[in-house]
Amino acid sequence: MDYTFQNQALPLTERVDDLIKRLTLQEKISLLSTSQSAIQRLGIKAYEIGGEAAHGVVDRKGGKTTVFPQPIGLSSTWNPSLIQEVGSVIGDEARGFYDKYQQRTGLTLWAPTIDMERDPRWGRTEEAYGEDPYLTGRLSTALIKGMQGNDPFYVKMVAAPKHFFSNNNEHGRGHMSNSIDPRNRYEYYLKAFEPAFTEVNALSMMTAYNGVNGIPAMQLKELQQVVRDQWKMDGFIVSDGGALSLNVEEYGYYSTYAESLADALKKGVDCFVDEKDKVEKTAQQALDQNLISEADLTIAIHNILKVRFRLGHFDADSNHHPYAKITKDVLANEKHAALARKVTEESIVLLKNHEELLPLNEKKLKKIAVIGPTANCVFRDWYSGHPPYVCTPYQGIKNRAPSADVQYVSGHDTIALKHQQSNLYVTRATNSKVYVNAKKINKDAQWIDEDWGWNWHLVKSTLDNKYVTLPEDDLKLQATKAEVFDWFVREKIGFHSNLNDPTQYHLSSWQEEPLQVANDATIQTGKQADSFEKTIISSGIEQAVEPAKASDVAIVCVGNHPMINGRETEDRPGLGLPLHQQKLIQAVHQANPRTIVVVIGSYPFSLNWEQEHIPAILYSAHGSQELGNALSSVMFGDVSPSGKLSMTWYKHAKELPSIFDYDIIKGNRTYMFAENNILYPFGYGLHYGKVTYQQANIVEVTNNQLTIAVTVTNQSKQAFQEVIQIYAQFLQATLKRPNRLLVAFQKVPLAPNEQKTIRLVVKKANLQYYDVAQESYRLDTGSCRFHIGSSSQATNIITEPIVLTTDKQPPRSLEQPTKAENYNDYAHVKIGKGEHEQNAVMSQKEGWICFKNVMFKEAQQLHYRVTTDGARGEVQCFLDQRRGEPVTRQTIEVDYPQQWKTQVMTIPTNKAVHDLYLVFKGPVHVTTVQLVEGGD
């Protein structure tokens, strides 16, 4: 039987409406979770929404897919057209995955991550595209365009940008709320998400775990007011995994799942990523309690189904679908591998090249030492797929220099551990369990110690290279894991040295529980840690020095392990390399000054000593199956490095604000506002040639944009790609603006001695700021000039200043109720949830807010909505400065916490323009302020 909704000739709306009319209430409920039920009477198959595709499709069952560099590496390409090709491959392989699993799942994947990376200590830095919203927008839209395809109706797959929004810390993410004021919200955090919907129509989106201004992300009013109403998002919104449960159990925002689901559904979440039974049972409870109606369910199901129609799920005939014929044969093919190689090459960043140590000349190299903990492995992160093969740096260098003697040393120590209480050594038994039972250091008692910093180690047996783990079903250490890769990293062992004797250690489990020896001589968790003496049988550093001395060049590969010290659920404790790696680099360099350091990492590092002493430094992200081949191509000059940093690399973590401070403007975060502590600036990256910028002229100005023509010349014999970057600088600004703001860029290939003139378009919308007085974007009245060069700090040419608008900013009026969060300046306040879910300014310590350039009339009253947490508070009013006595003050008393009141106080002043300061004593919360004529 053919149904109307299966008729592909009909308009989408008519098809969706027809299907929804045929659904029963229970069938609608069955489509509310990611496990979409089959509806056999209508010929509808079961379908599973979700899956990962951060840098390639992820098959959790181990199926092979193409694996590209982590997104932080993709962002280093600064090449939107190349990223679109990556997106297209991901889309193709999603279709192949869909075919492989009998069309049950795979076409609605949760990528890309568009969170703004304003702090490099964020545990998930590897997943996103850097610290700039314009760069992130350009690259993420390119990826989405490739993923979804270019057919006007059908989509190859559905992209789901995540995590909306301001998700940039892991610690406390399930219960903490981030304070984001309007300028930060609209100029930074939301700005990165906007083009995904306004330019390429991403058909899904995932909310974050964290709260924003006191409200969990899946219940934010911005889902409807911004994403749907302003950006015209035409797809469905999903919660983050388990967020429905966390909303009650961890955040405590509601006491029941029914209340939580009902609020999220009404705010705009269409699909819940939680247990199917829980979602459906909760939805029924919400209906029974009249928290939602069937109409609310219908809206959500409509949003989901109209996207599934565009995937071709309900077509009677798939012959008209341009992507339906893609099969599993496309997975992990050679063409995709070639693209992975090219993308990885373009992602590598040359950080230093003193006296042109790079590129290497293989004809002059007889011996090469390849050293370090990341030299002979390609680590997977949690969002990596299973590649068909991997090429490690060591393998890549051996392949590229077949006539050279290439020696590899990991740099890890081989150790023995002696239990102090029993005087016996830790061994691996034939059953793989770990025992304390050897009187001497025999072959069973030797372990490879991988020191990844901040006391966290991985330990594996020298017998078979199996890692020690603490299995959930036994809770006794055993050496059984071939790879450290799980949601719970049970292989982590904490080594905590005795301050009086550095050879003595207390050990702890992955959950930081003390480890002790049990009566059966096994090692398990306990109440008090036993003491172990570590004996270094062979020093990894000493082993590295010998081949380094004897080699023509030493290549030291360092960095992080993606499952330790910075990952989902775990922020980084600092920015430095592990101390053992720093010592390894220094020892190798002392043995051979021709040392190259290759940092393979998920995030920026502080490389202060290395930058001062090491002649050549390269950076690459983890993940790519072609990592080794790409690195060797760059090191031997087959291609010139063209990667550029998408984040600022800082010198010291201690000079950064708290990771929980989300105000990039006042906190001087990112390249836009940071003025010191910068090791490598945003946009930085060297290549092997020399480029000169001859001239730059503004050649065309229209109402919406201006065009800048830039002439660049390759003054070398090496072909390379130069990323021309244009940064706006705002002169005579009426408020704090970025020191530099990226507004255009283009990656340009240059042949030897080639000159090109490139025209780049700067949209005036990208020069605007968010005017809190008018609650809209506007151009500033000052002038603007453009810095053109190869990084945010490398200015090759500066244009003449140009006036963008002559419209003067009038004095501010507070005669209408004005949101307190629309202040111009503040200190010691945060934004939280006020009455009716309005944003409230909440005082911390003795906080204050300032409304600048306010027009006052004679004898006006200030009306303001205020409450406290139950304690007494006070509001003081100052004009123009916060010194001396306030012009008026008022005590705030409430009968119970969060009892909101309208308070009135008279401000004695003549008709004039003043800065209005409101200073808060005690736990004062304010939602609105308003100046009203009248008074004593």
Side-chain angles (χ1 to χ4, degrees):
M1 177 181 177
D2 290 336
Y3 296 98
T4 300
F5 68 81
Q6 294 175 316
N7 186 346
Q8 294 150 259
L10 294 176
L12 175 61
T13 301
E14 189 174 334
R15 296 178 68 190
V16 176
D17 289 345
D18 178 75
L19 175 53
I20 287 178
K21 287 176 185 177
R22 298 175 188 275
L23 297 176
T24 67
L25 176 59
Q26 291 306 312
E27 287 169 344
K28 290 178 182 178
I29 291 175
S30 77
L31 299 174
L32 201 57
S33 77
T34 50
S35 296
Q36 306 257 288
S37 294
I39 304 174
Q40 294 180 353
R41 67 183 185 84
L42 298 177
I44 295 174
K45 299 178 181 178
Y47 180 73
E48 190 78 24
I49 290 173
E52 304 298 345
H55 51 114
V57 173
V58 178
D59 184 347
R60 294 293 187 198
K61 295 182 179 181
K64 304 304 182 185
T65 58
T66 304
V67 181
F68 298 97
Q70 295 172 315
I72 193 66
L74 296 177
S75 70
S76 297
T77 67
W78 285 59
N79 191 338
S81 62
L82 188 62
I83 298 303
Q84 184 173 335
E85 291 183 50
V86 172
S88 184
V89 166
I90 291 173
D92 286 346
E93 296 206 0
R95 280 280 163 183
F97 183 86
Y98 179 65
D99 174 63
K100 178 180 178 180
Y101 288 100
Q102 292 79 47
Q103 301 183 345
R104 294 196 303 264
T105 190
L107 297 184
T108 43
L109 303 180
W110 297 323
T113 297
I114 305 183
D115 299 306
M116 282 286 85
E117 302 192 295
R118 38 102 228 183
D119 195 307
R121 294 168 295 189
W122 182 37
R124 301 179 74 173
T125 294
E126 65 202 27
E127 293 183 41
Y129 288 78
E131 68 184 27
D132 179 75
Y134 177 72
L135 176 65
T136 295
R138 288 281 306 278
L139 297 177
S140 60
T141 53
L143 188 81
I144 293 166
K145 188 174 182 180
M147 293 166 81
Q148 297 194 161
N150 54 16
D151 187 84
F153 177 78
Y154 288 106
V155 288
K156 192 185 297 186
M157 61 161 287
V158 172
K162 60 182 185 179
H163 310 85
F164 189 86
F165 69 100
S166 79
N167 175 202
N168 194 221
N169 63 276
E170 292 304 290
H171 178 76
R173 66 178 185 172
H175 66 267
M176 293 183 67
S177 174
N178 303 322
S179 178
I180 316 286
D181 67 19
R183 282 199 64 200
N184 282 279
R185 204 150 66 233
Y186 288 101
E187 294 180 31
Y188 192 62
Y189 295 103
L190 294 178
K191 205 74 174 175
F193 278 90
E194 182 176 1
F197 304 100
T198 59
E199 295 181 18
V200 292
N201 193 25
L203 289 176
S204 189
M205 186 184 81
M206 175 179 277
T207 60
Y209 286 118
N210 57 274
V212 179
N213 299 336
I215 299 175
M218 75 176 198
Q219 284 134 346
L220 289 172
K221 58 183 178 292
E222 284 89 351
L223 298 179
Q224 182 65 46
Q225 294 177 2
V226 175
V227 179
R228 294 199 191 279
D229 294 346
Q230 293 182 28
W231 298 344
K232 307 302 179 185
M233 191 255 202
D234 192 31
F236 66 95
I237 296 173
V238 302
S239 68
D240 207 338
L244 175 63
S245 299
L246 293 173
N247 196 258
V248 174
E249 297 166 8
E250 190 166 338
Y251 202 108
Y253 192 68
Y254 283 109
S255 59
T256 69
Y257 300 132
E259 293 172 296
S260 174
L261 180 143
D263 190 16
L265 194 71
K266 290 182 175 181
K267 292 291 176 53
V269 171
D270 305 300
C271 183
F272 292 87
V273 187
D274 220 312
E275 298 171 13
K276 180 177 176 63
D277 290 345
K278 176 181 285 188
V279 172
E280 294 177 7
K281 180 180 178 181
T282 299
Q284 186 62 60
Q285 291 172 344
L287 283 164
D288 294 343
Q289 297 169 30
N290 294 318
L291 298 173
I292 59 173
S293 66
E294 184 173 354
D296 296 319
L297 286 175
T298 300
I299 291 171
I301 301 308
H302 185 280
N303 290 333
I304 297 170
L305 291 179
K306 67 183 176 184
V307 173
R308 289 187 61 186
F309 269 100
R310 296 185 64 184
L311 288 168
H313 282 183
F314 311 119
D315 289 352
D317 179 6
S318 64
N319 288 325
H320 301 289
H321 195 307
Y323 309 117
K325 292 181 174 60
I326 299 176
T327 69
K328 60 186 178 183
D329 295 336
V330 77
L331 293 169
N333 64 37
E334 292 183 3
K335 181 180 178 182
H336 296 175
L339 180 63
R341 169 82 172 258
K342 178 175 175 56
V343 172
T344 310
E345 289 172 348
E346 288 204 23
S347 73
I348 295 168
V349 184
L350 178 61
L351 299 174
K352 183 179 179 182
N353 193 22
H354 182 62
E355 294 183 348
E356 298 184 349
L357 176 56
L358 291 171
L360 298 173
N361 185 342
E362 65 175 308
K363 295 179 181 179
K364 297 182 179 180
L365 300 177
K366 294 182 179 179
K367 288 188 176 182
I368 303 172
V370 181
I371 297 163
T374 63
N376 197 28
C377 52
V378 177
F379 290 123
R380 289 193 300 143
D381 62 82
W382 183 247
Y383 294 98
S384 288
H386 296 266
Y389 62 88
V390 294
C391 180
T392 71
Y394 168 60
Q395 291 168 335
I397 293 165
K398 283 191 70 174
N399 294 341
R400 182 58 185 77
S403 60
D405 178 11
V406 182
Q407 296 189 38
Y408 160 70
V409 178
S410 72
H412 297 308
D413 292 338
T414 301
I415 65 168
L417 290 170
K418 182 165 70 175
H419 182 231
Q420 290 300 282
Q421 285 84 338
S422 65
N423 213 31
L424 298 173
Y425 287 93
V426 178
T427 66
R428 176 195 179 279
T430 54
N431 64 1
S432 297
K433 285 194 175 182
V434 175
Y435 290 96
V436 176
N437 60 5
K439 295 181 179 179
K440 296 180 179 180
I441 301 176
N442 55 34
K443 61 182 178 59
D444 298 328
Q446 298 185 36
W447 305 90
I448 297 170
D449 177 20
E450 298 184 9
D451 182 350
W452 294 103
W454 291 282
N455 298 326
W456 287 116
H457 294 235
L458 299 174
V459 177
K460 62 183 179 181
S461 171
T462 58
L463 297 175
D464 58 4
N465 285 328
K466 293 291 179 66
Y467 287 98
V468 173
T469 188
L470 188 67
E472 184 178 10
D473 58 355
D474 192 358
L475 297 181
K476 295 181 179 181
L477 293 185
Q478 53 187 263
T480 57
K481 288 297 292 292
E483 180 186 18
V484 178
F485 181 85
D486 277 303
W487 180 254
F488 297 114
V489 186
R490 299 175 178 276
E491 295 71 49
K492 288 166 50 178
I493 297 178
F495 277 60
H496 311 279
S497 62
N498 187 318
L499 295 178
N500 298 321
D501 184 351
T503 67
Q504 302 291 320
Y505 291 86
H506 290 150
L507 305 183
S508 62
S509 75
W510 66 285
Q511 291 183 305
E512 302 185 62
E513 301 165 308
L515 290 176
Q516 60 183 208
V517 178
N519 292 333
D520 61 357
T522 61
I523 300 177
Q524 61 186 26
T525 58
K527 293 183 179 180
Q528 185 170 350
D530 287 354
S531 182
F532 293 83
E533 179 184 8
K534 183 171 78 170
T535 299
I536 298 178
I537 299 170
S538 61
S539 164
I541 292 176
E542 291 178 4
Q543 285 184 319
V545 164
E546 184 178 346
K549 276 183 181 178
S551 294
D552 299 302
V553 65
I555 300 169
V556 185
C557 299
V558 293
N560 71 297
H561 192 300
M563 305 303 291
I564 301 171
N565 291 327
R567 61 185 293 264
E568 186 166 3
T569 73
E570 183 181 306
D571 291 313
R572 296 169 68 190
L575 299 181
L577 290 167
L579 183 59
H580 183 80
Q581 293 185 21
Q582 296 180 44
K583 292 178 179 178
L584 176 66
I585 293 169
Q586 292 167 15
V588 170
H589 177 257
Q590 185 175 6
N592 187 341
R594 286 174 54 83
T595 293
I596 300 165
V597 168
V598 179
V599 179
I600 303 172
S602 306
Y603 32 64
F605 292 86
S606 295
L607 304 175
N608 301 309
W609 187 93
E610 292 76 12
Q611 173 61 22
E612 183 177 352
H613 296 90
I614 300 298
I617 307 174
L618 288 161
Y619 166 71
S620 173
H622 286 292
S624 172
Q625 63 192 51
E626 282 285 339
L627 174 63
N629 287 329
L631 275 170
S632 62
S633 291
V634 169
M635 284 191 284
F636 285 93
D638 302 328
V639 295
S640 177
S642 64
K644 298 285 185 177
L645 297 179
S646 61
M647 296 181 70
T648 303
W649 287 38
Y650 296 101
K651 293 179 180 179
H652 306 289
K654 63 183 179 181
E655 295 184 32
L656 296 175
S658 164
I659 195 172
F660 305 114
D661 179 359
Y662 273 72
D663 188 340
I664 71 162
I665 302 172
K666 204 170 183 70
N668 292 326
R669 285 186 180 274
T670 79
Y671 80 95
M672 290 183 271
F673 297 99
E675 295 181 348
N676 49 44
N677 191 33
I678 296 171
L679 178 64
Y680 303 121
F682 173 83
Y684 175 80
L686 306 174
H687 41 61
Y688 294 148
K690 179 182 179 182
V691 65
T692 58
Y693 286 68
Q694 272 78 27
Q695 58 183 357
N697 298 301
I698 300 174
V699 295
E700 183 181 8
V701 180
T702 68
N703 290 335
N704 299 319
Q705 64 187 40
L706 51 90
T707 302
I708 300 177
V710 181
T711 301
V712 290
T713 302
N714 178 357
Q715 292 190 326
S716 61
K717 297 179 181 179
Q718 168 84 46
F720 58 79
Q721 296 186 83
E722 169 72 351
V723 180
I724 301 172
Q725 303 170 42
I726 299 183
Y727 294 86
Q729 179 189 20
F730 302 97
L731 309 175
Q732 302 93 40
T734 58
L735 73 170
K736 187 174 181 179
R737 300 297 307 277
N739 300 323
R740 299 281 189 277
L741 181 65
L742 181 69
V743 291
F745 68 89
Q746 185 171 333
K747 196 163 195 175
V748 180
L750 292 170
N753 302 311
E754 183 179 15
Q755 182 178 90
K756 285 185 178 178
T757 298
I758 307 298
R759 295 165 69 95
L760 295 94
V761 173
V762 177
K763 295 181 180 179
K764 288 187 178 180
N766 293 331
L767 302 172
Q768 295 175 327
Y769 70 93
Y770 185 77
D771 182 1
V772 293
Q774 301 298 323
E775 294 190 307
S776 63
Y777 292 102
R778 64 171 290 144
L779 293 169
D780 206 349
T781 53
S783 60
C784 173
R785 64 184 179 187
F786 298 97
H787 294 245
I788 297 102
S790 54
S791 82
S792 58
Q793 289 192 345
T795 298
N796 299 85
I797 299 178
I798 304 175
T799 67
E800 291 296 319
I802 180 173
V803 176
L804 299 173
T805 180
T806 57
D807 295 339
K808 297 295 183 181
Q809 177 80 304
R812 184 168 188 179
S813 171
L814 298 182
E815 293 185 347
Q816 298 296 322
T818 301
K819 297 172 185 174
E821 68 167 351
N822 283 337
Y823 48 68
N824 298 104
D825 199 3
Y826 75 95
H828 306 304
V829 300
K830 67 176 182 179
I831 300 174
K833 178 184 172 183
E835 63 175 341
H836 310 307
E837 295 192 352
Q838 295 181 81
N839 289 343
V841 170
M842 299 179 172
S843 177
Q844 300 176 304
K845 301 179 182 178
E846 295 188 359
W848 56 266
I849 57 176
C850 175
F851 299 90
K852 292 187 177 181
N853 202 35
V854 176
M855 173 59 74
F856 281 82
K857 298 179 181 179
E858 294 184 14
Q860 286 196 291
Q861 293 179 335
L862 181 70
H863 293 219
Y864 58 103
R865 290 291 289 174
V866 65
T867 191
T868 74
D869 64 3
R872 176 181 294 183
E874 182 178 274
V875 177
Q876 300 178 352
C877 176
F878 294 79
L879 296 180
D880 299 322
Q881 57 185 3
R882 290 181 294 107
R883 291 196 294 269
E885 285 296 310
V887 297
T888 187
R889 67 177 72 198
Q890 193 168 56
T891 299
I892 309 299
E893 293 183 307
V894 295
D895 297 327
Y896 52 86
Q898 305 305 312
Q899 179 191 21
W900 287 90
K901 295 181 175 182
T902 297
Q903 296 285 102
V904 179
M905 59 182 173
T906 300
I907 301 177
T909 181
N910 296 322
K911 183 177 180 180
V913 174
H914 295 285
D915 293 342
L916 171 63
Y917 288 88
L918 298 180
V919 177
F920 309 117
K921 305 289 184 178
V924 176
H925 305 171
V926 178
T927 55
T928 60
V929 299
Q930 182 181 11
L931 287 176
V932 179
E933 287 192 58
D936 298 333

